């Protein structure tokens, strides 16, 4: 047999086509340089297939395609720049050599067997051109193998090729290429048999060929010699295939990949990362454990500077977590960093990675990885937030709702429900809508059967945390409000067209649009929907049915589908208008709650009461299931009252009323109040049973039950006057101040009765108020309070007498709110009483029998009462500026909880637009609060209030007539007047006091000046300038008072001018000043005088640190109208916060430790608790020696003559805890040395370096009376009330070597 290499070129060149045309296989068009590369590749693939299917005996076809064979051997194809073209042409030529060779390489199976068996080709090793022979042999064998060959033929081929590789001196690059080319994906897909042959060959010869492979990759990867082989472009594809065949083939190649991972070329690193991701991530790979250095180097690419590399690394993590759970620990830290990546796409893919693995098996992801997804629910980008929220929702449904992996897995993701509902607190409407969608589809799927759905809701509600419960309640409230807006819109459609009707309809449409995503676009769609509603009566009736109180869940589903079908446009597959309408329908459709659902909930609750429910299995105790079930029904009674109207439901509620649990009974009464309007007419049996229970609760129930019982009687019974009289008369006769425990509930009931039925009970209540409430209860202290130094006590520790007094104050307010008459003397008398209580610091009798914590309660009650009365216009008119200022100063009270609760009540009333605008000025005083959280809370309240007022003005065209009471900028004159009367502001030229004023002004102005809407900066400047042309209406003839007012104006002008370049423009309109606080400008009166010097102006603007003084107070007293100012002896307020008799004292220390303590304290108080009491852990210091105690006593006697008044109570600066009051040990001599000047209140100055230098100067300044400031002892630390401010200088001087506890900033 002839083994000489055939020469196809010669054979082909001698043949000429008869007609000069090239014949192509069927379906293949002409291949020339005129077509695109993609088209050329497509046609070449079909040619390759044709030549592969031809054999040497097809003489006709050989003759037909001879011109094509010559054409493909032309220069254009062989040197084509596109590698895929060259590769496909090479495949064609290999088959052409096979087909047109003078003789077939073999003629039978036996001949091939012989060649392999006797190793006939091995004789070629002696020839010089043996390599060319072997290359041609390998190419021929790889090209001829096909499906028709049996396994024996394949084995003979393998024997033949493996003997040549293993017995030769080495494998040349060309021979290696002839094997490796079969592994390239393009060739692999064309001829699967040649790939399998190459794969088995490499496995068989791994020991011999590994070095050749390593050399090839070294040349290409490390030395960059891509010319060594035509396969250089496919190195990464080859590495992947070789690794899959046998990792041992790449033992020497892996370190080269580590080198490439550190390449400077981002695209090159990306290619290596893609490759290694496949190698590390494949199911059976143990590369990460076998090659740790490469694994660590690969993990480093998670932090690559090139975004696509980081993205590829994150995508890999999903496969790795699923296929190699043992590597999760290594990946966690890198995914944590990438979850905060600046690139949105990467953060998004981190979530997809973790959720994909968790959905496969929750055990694959640890709590830390789920925590990253949790964090991203608050991402700044909507796409990321949405992915995180939806991912968590899917996990909750899979593992908690369906319980697919057992209780342990359900417990692991039980936090998801709370977290998802918390997102409802976000401002974005997109977040709110997605939470609603998640609730309806994943937390409580609406497509479940009613009983199953309600069971799901019942136990979900019982297991939610308090904040999630509030969010869920808010969600139902928002949906109900939107339903009412749509109902009102439909009512407007029924009215005749008019200008007023159109205006009202437009306002309603704008309100609805705000509740949909992208409110800008939503406005247009809502207008279009409104037009459709106007034209289509059937559509209107469907919508009316959907929002009717009697609509069932099934009817709602039908209505939504019917409306969507009517609005759908078959020609428009993506219809944004329809999508927006669907959003609206989903929000208003009652998909969860109807009469049947309420009935199912009541049955579930009955089972819990009877003890036959699955409460324990669901992880909820029966008591909490009953209580939360009632709370759930109470919330639903607001939104779906009609669904409760059935005898069965009310019978169950009556059963709850008889239970011992106070909360359960209270909720049941409230449900009756909300839903029982038809009980009297439709269910007389329920009525007869309910009345005596309500009477009993109003007389002897808890205060909350009494309130609800009175309101319930007033709401659902027609003979309410008789019913209320039967409660009022016995209660009013039986009032006894000697038994305060039995007073609280009667006072609550009497107060609410007088408010609900003033015509009937206002007069009899007057004698009760005069003879009992004021004279007998409020003006008497029957018991002595505990002198423990605390400024606040938990509710359960407050004495019954004080609780009764608090309820008495509330009764006064309710009585007045019912009368709504400012002509009688009652309102003025009440306001004077409340003011006196504030001036006396809560101790109205001044007998000093009441404890500090009880005084705090009464101050809070008095301040809140004035604020409540101010919500009624007739009483707001008679509240004097002095009374308003007293009320305002409660926000600077020494007790943290008083400040906190008062600020919350103030914000709640302002945000509902119930309080006049001047009350928003009170928040300016929060700049002095030493607690970071309180300042932050006040700022958030201001932002919310200002945005609500501006939005209200935009949405209500009629509001322009009331701009004086609505426009946020009009708060400036009220703020200026309030600060001018700040008792801390005693000297109009004192730089420290002016700095405090400036901070308060900027606290408000910073929020107001965020935007310059309608040239508001110039408007505010004009207001301040105009005030300087008036006089203070409170004391128009007092020069000092007016000077202080003008000084505050100048500070405000200084701040506005420094912060805005736009304030010098012309004001859009002339501002109107409130007559209650400022006189009318006098004719020809001008006030060009500057009340602050240029030096002071610079100091205020540059914020130069001022010296730190001692913590004594020197302020001007405020007294209530008609009351003599009360001066308290200085024994209760010494200059030092150290009690001389105390054994323990925190001492001075380095500044950094103080600042750390401050930060620790400021983040410790919970804003969600009504009465937070923070225990601050402090290591006690050893007893101070006698000499140091003497120094302290000496320092106290020097500073001890500071007097205080009953006016504005200031913030405590105790040594250990903010609200701990020192017991008075001695009385100060009025004629003693002058007290030190008032230091700057509020946050710590930036520098304390000048404190000692100015101390002596401070002592020589004149004394002034001031607001009460409490000192505390370190011994009382365990009583801990929220914050612990800093020591005074006296303490620092006394114990300079010890560490100071300083928590005030």
């Amino acid at each position: 047999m002839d083994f000489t290499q055939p020469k196809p070129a010669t054979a082909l060149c001698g043949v000429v086509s008869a007609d000069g045309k090239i014949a192509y296989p069927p379906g293949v068009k002409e291949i020339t340089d005129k077509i695109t590369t993609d088209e050329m590749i497509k046609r070449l693939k079909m040619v390759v297939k044709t030549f592969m299917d031809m054999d040497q005996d097809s003489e006709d076809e050989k003759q037909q395609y001879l011109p094509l064979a010559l054409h493909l051997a032309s220069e254009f194809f062989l040197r084509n720049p596109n590698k895929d073209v060259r590769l496909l042409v090479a495949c064609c030529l290999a088959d052409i050599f096979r087909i047109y060779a003078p003789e077939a390489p073999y003629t039978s199976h036996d001949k091939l067997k012989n060649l392999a068996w006797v190793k006939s080709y091995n004789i070629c090793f002696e020839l010089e051109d043996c390599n060319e022979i072997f290359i041609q042999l390998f190419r021929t064998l790889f090209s001829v193998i096909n499906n028709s060959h049996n396994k024996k033929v394949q084995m003979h081929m393998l024997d033949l090729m493996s003997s040549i590789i293993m017995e030769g001196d080495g494998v040349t690059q060309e021979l290696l290429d002839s094997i490796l080319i079969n592994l390239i994906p393009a060739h692999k897909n064309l001829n699967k048999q040649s790939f399998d042959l190459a794969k088995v060959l490499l496995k068989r010869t791994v020991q011999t060929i590994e070095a050749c492979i390593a050399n090839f990759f070294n040349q290409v990867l490390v030395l960059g010699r891509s010319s060594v082989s035509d396969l250089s472009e496919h190195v990464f594809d080859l590495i992947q295939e070789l690794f899959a065949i046998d990792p041992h083939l790449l033992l020497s190649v892996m370190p080269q990949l580590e080198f490439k991972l550190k390449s400077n070329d981002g695209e090159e690193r990306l290619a290596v990362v893609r490759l290694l991701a496949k190698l590390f991530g494949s199911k059976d790979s143990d590369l990460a454990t076998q090659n740790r250095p490469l694994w660590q180097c690969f993990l480093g690419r998670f932090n690559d500077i090139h975004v696509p590399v980081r993205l590829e690394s994150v995508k890999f993590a999903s496969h790795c977590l699923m296929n190699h759970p043992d590597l999760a620990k290594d990946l966690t830290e890198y995914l944590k960093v990438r979850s905060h990546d600046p690139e949105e796409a990467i953060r998004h893919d981190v979530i997809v990675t973790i959720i994909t693995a968790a959905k496969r098996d929750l055990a694959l992801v640890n709590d830390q990885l789920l925590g990253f997804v949790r964090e991203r629910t608050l991402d700044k980008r909507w796409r990321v937030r949405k992915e995180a929220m939806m991912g968590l929702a899917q996990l909750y449904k899979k593992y908690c709702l369906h319980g697919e992996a057992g209780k342990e897995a359900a417990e692991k993701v039980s936090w998801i429900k709370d977290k998802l509902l918390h997102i409802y607190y976000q401002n974005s409407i997109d977040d709110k809508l997605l939470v609603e969608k998640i609730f309806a589809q994943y937390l409580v799927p609406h497509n479940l059967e009613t009983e199953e759905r309600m069971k799901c809701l019942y136990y979900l509600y019982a297991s939610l945390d308090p904040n999630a419960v509030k969010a869920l309640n808010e969600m139902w409230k928002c949906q109900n409000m939107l339903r009412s807006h749509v109902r009102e819109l439909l009512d407007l459609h029924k009215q005749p067209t008019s200008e007023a009707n159109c205006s009202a309809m437009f306002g309603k449409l704008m309100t609805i649009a705000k509740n949909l995503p992208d409110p800008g676009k939503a406005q247009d769609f809502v207008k279009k929907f409104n037009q459709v509603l106007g034209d289509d009566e059937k559509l209107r009736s469907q919508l009316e049915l959907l929002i009717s109180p009697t609509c069932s869940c099934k009817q709602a589903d039908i209505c939504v589908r019917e409306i969507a079908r009517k609005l759908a446009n078959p020609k428009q597959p993506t219809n944004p208008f329809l999508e927006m309408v669907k959003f609206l329908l989903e929000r208003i459709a009652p998909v969860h709650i109807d009469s049947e659902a309420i009935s199912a909930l009541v049955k579930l609750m009955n089972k819990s009461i009877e003890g036959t429910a699955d409460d324990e299995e669901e992880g909820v105790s029966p008591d909490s299931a009953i209580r939360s079930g009632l709370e759930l029904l109470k919330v639903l009674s607001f939104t779906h009252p009609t669904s409760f109207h059935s005898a069965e439901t009310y019978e169950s509620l009556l059963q709850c009323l008889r239970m011992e649990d106070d909360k359960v009974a209270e909720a049941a009464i409230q449900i009756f109040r909300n839903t029982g309007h038809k009980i009297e007419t439709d269910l007389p049996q329920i009525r007869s049973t309910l009345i005596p229970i309500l009477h009993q609760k109003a007389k002897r129930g808890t205060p909350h039950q009494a309130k609800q019982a009175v309101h319930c009687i007033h709401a659902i019974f027609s003979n309410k006057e008789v019913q209320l009289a039967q409660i009022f008369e016995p209660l009013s006769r039986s009032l006894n101040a000697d038994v305060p425990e039995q007073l609280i509930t009667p006072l609550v009931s009497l107060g609410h009765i007088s408010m609900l039925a003033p015509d009937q009970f206002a007069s009899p209540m007057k004698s009760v108020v005069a003879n009992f409430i004021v004279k007998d209860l409020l003006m008497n202290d029957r018991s002595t309070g505990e002198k423990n130094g605390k400024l606040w006590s938990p509710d359960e520790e407050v004495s019954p007498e004080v609780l009764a007094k608090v309820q008495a104050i509330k009764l006064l307010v309710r009585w007045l709110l019912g009368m709504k008459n400012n002509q009688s003397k009652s309102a003025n008398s009440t306001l004077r009483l409340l003011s006196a209580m504030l001036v006396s610091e809560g101790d109205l009798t001044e007998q000093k029998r009441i404890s500090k914590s009880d005084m705090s309660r009464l101050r809070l009650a008095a301040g809140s009462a004035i604020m409540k009365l101010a919500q009624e216009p007739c009483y707001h008119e008679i509240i004097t500026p002095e009374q308003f200022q007293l009320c305002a100063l409660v926000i600077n009270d020494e007790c943290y909880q008083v400040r906190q609760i008062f600020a919350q009540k103030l914000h709640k009333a302002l945000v509902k637009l119930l309080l006049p605008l001047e009350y928003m000025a009170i928040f300016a005083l929060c700049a002095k609060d030493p607690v970071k959280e309180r300042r932050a809370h006040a700022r958030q309240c201001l932002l919310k209030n200002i945005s609500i007022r501006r939005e209200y003005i935009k949405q209500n065209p009629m509001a322009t007539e009331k701009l004086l009471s609505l426009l946020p900028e009009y708060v400036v004159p009220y703020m200026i007047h309030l600060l001018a009367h700040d008792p801390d502001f005693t000297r109009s030229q004192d730089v420290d006091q002016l700095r405090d004023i400036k901070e308060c002004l900027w606290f408000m102005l910073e929020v107001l000046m965020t935007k310059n809407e309608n040239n508001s900066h110039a408007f505010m400047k004009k207001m301040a300038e105009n005030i300087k042309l008036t006089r203070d209406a409170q004391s128009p003839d007092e020069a000092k008072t007016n000077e202080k007012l003008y000084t505050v104006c100048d500070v405000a002008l200084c701040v506005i001018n420094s912060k805005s370049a736009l304030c010098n423009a012309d004001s859009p309109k002339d501002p109107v000043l409130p007559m209650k606080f400022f006189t009318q400008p006098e004719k020809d009166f001008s006030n060009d005088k500057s009340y602050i010097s240029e030096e002071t102006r610079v100091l205020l603007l540059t914020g130069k640190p001022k010296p730190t003084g001692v913590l004594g107070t020197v302020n001007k007293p405020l007294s209530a109208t008609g009351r003599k100012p009360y001066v308290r002896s200085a024994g209760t307020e010494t200059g030092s916060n150290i009690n001389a008799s105390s054994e323990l004292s925190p001492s001075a220390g380095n500044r950094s430790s103080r600042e750390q303590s401050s930060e620790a304290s400021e983040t410790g108080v919970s804003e969600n608790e009504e009465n937070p009491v923070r225990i601050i852990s402090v290591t006690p210091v050893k007893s101070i020696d006698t000499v140091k105690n003497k120094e302290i006593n000496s320092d106290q006697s020097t500073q001890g003559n500071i007097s205080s008044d009953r006016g504005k109570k200031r913030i405590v600066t105790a040594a250990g805890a903010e609200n701990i009051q020192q017991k008075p040990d001695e009385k100060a001599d009025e004629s003693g040395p002058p007290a030190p000047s008032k230091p700057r209140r509020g946050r710590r100055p930036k520098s304390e370096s000048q404190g000692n230098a100015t101390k002596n100067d401070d002592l020589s300044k004149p004394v002034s009376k001031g607001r009460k400031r409490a000192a505390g002892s370190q011994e009382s630390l365990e009583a801990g009330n929220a914050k612990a401010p800093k020591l005074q200088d006296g303490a620092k001087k006394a114990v300079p070597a010890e560490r100071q506890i300083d928590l005030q900033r």
Side-chain angles (χ1 to χ4, degrees), residues 174-194:
E174 290 82 0
L175 187 60
L176 184 63
D177 286 355
S178 68
I179 301 170
L180 297 182
I181 195 171
N182 298 287
L183 306 181
I184 295 168
H187 202 285
K188 172 182 172 182
N189 296 335
L190 286 169
N191 191 344
K192 181 72 168 58
Q193 286 69 37
S194 64

Side-chain angles (χ1 to χ4, degrees), residues 714-739:
H714 185 265
I716 68 177
F717 297 126
S718 56
N719 63 338
K720 51 193 164 201
E721 292 83 3
V722 177
Q723 301 284 348
L724 293 175
Q726 290 173 2
I727 298 169
F728 182 88
E729 288 167 9
L731 286 181
S732 59
R733 287 196 303 269
S734 63
L735 294 174
N736 182 3
D738 293 325
V739 194

